């Protein structure tokens, strides 16, 4: 005689392990930590551990191949006595200040342009992202060729247009020209981030505000200063915050174009840290260089986020 499946008796004493696991996972107090734990482990291994090691190295006399000892803040004090480090300190603020200012102004202008009714608008918006999509080292090699002292396309174009005298400036071999070159490439590289982010904020501004202002007789300039710019402030604060941090810590552009030269005139904290910590083996000093501005950047992040919260609420 055939026996139905639901008539087969279930053996007792097997409150099934899978059932008990399902019961545990149904509890929010257990399910939450289960989901958070992998992310927490990744943060500890990939972010917290390297950061703690960098702090430890910066407070020690670590040198490749020999035991290290704790020396406190001597590395930070000694660095300030170095001409190369003081030059790097100045370079970092000049490089970041000029590059971020250009990216803000040009990013707003480009976003306003992309927000207009243009032919092939989607294609143009996609093309704007190209500098951000191409790997930084690869695109910087193209700029290195354009600024090359023998084959400079920039010089050839300037001479052909009559705005330069032959043979043109040595972009990567002279102090101020080299700084101008690395700033130009950084602005070219970071402009899409500003333009697309600001464009997203522009699209979210209600058109009724512009229509009401226009009905009251407000011109284009008045609409920009009294509607567009105030509503863009929270987004601009976040974009400037991220760009300031990324620009201060830029490495690829400077290292590929000038390697910090000529005579340390384009060194940033990241490139000098690499030279001191890896090329000369002084890991402690290299880590101290990379962390020198950490307290200042923490304060900048705190101030910017506080400003954003005030704007939001």
């Amino acid at each position: 005689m055939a026996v139905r499946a639901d008539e087969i008796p279930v053996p007792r004493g097997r409150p099934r392990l899978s059932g008990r696991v399902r019961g545990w996972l149904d509890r929010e107090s257990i399910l939450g930590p289960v989901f958070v734990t992998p992310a927490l482990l990744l943060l500890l291994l990939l972010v917290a551990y390297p950061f703690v090691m960098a702090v430890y190295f910066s407070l020690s006399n670590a040198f490749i191949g020999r035991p290290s000892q704790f020396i406190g803040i001597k590395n930070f004090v000694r660095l300030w006595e170095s001409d190369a480090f003081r030059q790097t300190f100045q370079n970092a603020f000049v490089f970041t200040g000029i590059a971020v200012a250009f990216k803000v102004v040009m990013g707003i202008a480009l976003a306003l342009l992309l927000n207009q009714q243009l032919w092939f608008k989607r294609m143009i918006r996609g093309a704007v992202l190209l500098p951000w999509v191409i790997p930084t080292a690869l695109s910087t090699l193209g700029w290195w060729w354009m600024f090359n002292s023998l084959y400079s396309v920039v010089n050839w174009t300037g001479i052909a247009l009559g705005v330069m005298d032959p043979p043109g400036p040595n972009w990567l071999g002279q102090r101020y020209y080299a700084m101008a070159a690395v700033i130009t490439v950084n602005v070219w590289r970071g402009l899409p981030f500003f333009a697309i982010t600001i464009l997203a904020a522009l699209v979210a501004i209600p058109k009724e505000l512009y229509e009401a202002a226009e009905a009251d007789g407000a011109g284009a300039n008045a609409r920009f200063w009294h509607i567009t710019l105030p509503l863009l402030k929270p987004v601009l604060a976040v974009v400037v915050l991220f760009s300031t941090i990324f620009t201060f810590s830029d490495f690829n552009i400077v290292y590929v174009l000038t390697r910090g030269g000529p005579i340390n005139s384009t060194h940033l904290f990241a490139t000098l840290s690499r030279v001191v910590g890896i090329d000369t083996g002084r890991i402690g000093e290299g880590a101290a260089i990379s962390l020198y501005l950490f307290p200042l950047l923490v304060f900048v992040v705190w101030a910017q986020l506080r400003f954003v919260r005030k704007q939001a609420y």
Side-chain angles (χ1 to χ4, degrees):
M1 184 177 65
V3 178
R4 295 190 316 179
D6 56 353
E7 294 178 349
I8 300 176
V10 177
R12 290 191 173 184
R14 261 175 143 190
R16 313 268 173 114
L17 180 59
S18 58
R20 282 186 292 177
V21 170
R22 276 200 299 274
W24 292 337
L25 293 180
D26 283 340
R27 299 178 192 171
E28 189 176 341
S29 59
I30 295 178
L31 187 62
V34 168
F35 283 146
V36 169
T37 300
L40 189 61
L41 287 176
L42 284 176
L43 284 175
L44 287 174
L45 289 174
L46 302 180
V47 178
Y49 178 71
F51 176 75
V52 171
M53 289 301 297
V55 172
Y56 167 74
F57 283 138
S58 69
L59 300 175
S60 72
N61 60 352
F63 194 93
I64 292 178
R66 79 180 184 195
S68 60
Q69 294 179 341
F70 180 80
I71 59 172
I73 61 171
K74 285 184 180 177
N75 282 331
F76 294 92
V77 176
R78 192 181 304 132
L79 281 173
W80 197 248
E81 299 170 355
S82 162
D83 292 337
F85 179 77
R86 288 200 300 272
Q87 179 67 54
T88 300
F89 194 88
Q90 178 183 329
N91 294 342
F93 280 90
V94 171
F95 176 79
T96 304
I98 296 176
V100 172
F102 269 102
K103 283 185 279 190
V104 169
V105 175
M106 295 175 68
I108 293 175
L110 185 56
L112 290 172
L113 179 64
L114 294 175
N115 198 34
Q116 303 300 317
Q117 293 299 325
L118 302 172
W119 288 0
F120 309 112
K121 187 162 64 176
R122 291 183 180 176
M123 188 182 297
I124 294 173
R125 288 180 178 179
V128 168
L129 286 174
L130 278 179
W132 216 34
V133 174
I134 303 172
T136 308
L138 185 62
S139 58
T140 308
L141 277 176
W143 281 99
W144 176 82
W145 175 73
M146 287 193 282
F147 285 127
N148 186 277
S149 58
L150 295 178
Y151 314 106
S152 174
V153 175
V154 177
N155 285 1
W156 182 86
T157 306
I159 294 169
L161 294 175
V163 296
M164 291 181 187
D165 295 326
N170 182 1
W171 288 98
L172 304 179
Q174 293 175 281
R175 179 174 183 173
Y176 297 112
Y177 286 119
M179 179 57 81
V182 294
I183 289 174
T184 300
V185 180
N186 182 273
V187 171
W188 172 82
R189 168 79 180 164
L191 188 58
F193 175 65
F194 275 79
I196 297 301
T197 309
I198 296 171
L199 176 62
L202 281 177
V203 173
I205 296 177
K207 292 183 180 177
E208 291 79 9
L209 294 176
Y210 292 107
E211 292 169 357
E214 200 169 353
D216 290 340
N221 287 336
R223 293 198 298 273
F224 173 77
W225 288 108
H226 296 293
I227 297 177
T228 305
L229 199 56
L231 293 178
L232 286 180
K233 275 184 182 177
V235 174
L236 282 176
V238 174
V239 174
V240 169
L241 169 64
F242 279 100
S243 180
T244 301
I245 295 172
F246 292 147
T247 308
F248 259 120
S249 59
D250 199 349
F251 175 81
N252 292 335
I253 292 173
V254 173
Y255 193 73
V256 173
L257 276 184
T258 64
R259 294 184 184 271
I263 317 176
N264 302 319
S265 61
T266 58
H267 256 315
L268 300 179
F269 289 104
T271 54
L272 185 65
S273 174
R274 196 267 181 195
V275 170
V276 173
I278 305 299
D279 293 353
T280 69
R282 292 177 286 166
I283 300 176
E285 287 187 37
I289 293 170
S290 66
L291 292 174
Y292 211 91
L293 285 186
F294 178 71
L296 176 63
L297 292 178
V298 168
F299 174 75
V300 170
V301 170
W302 173 80
Q304 292 273 35
L305 294 179
R306 185 183 171 89
F307 171 76
V308 170
R309 279 198 296 271
K310 282 186 176 179
Q311 293 294 318
Y313 303 103

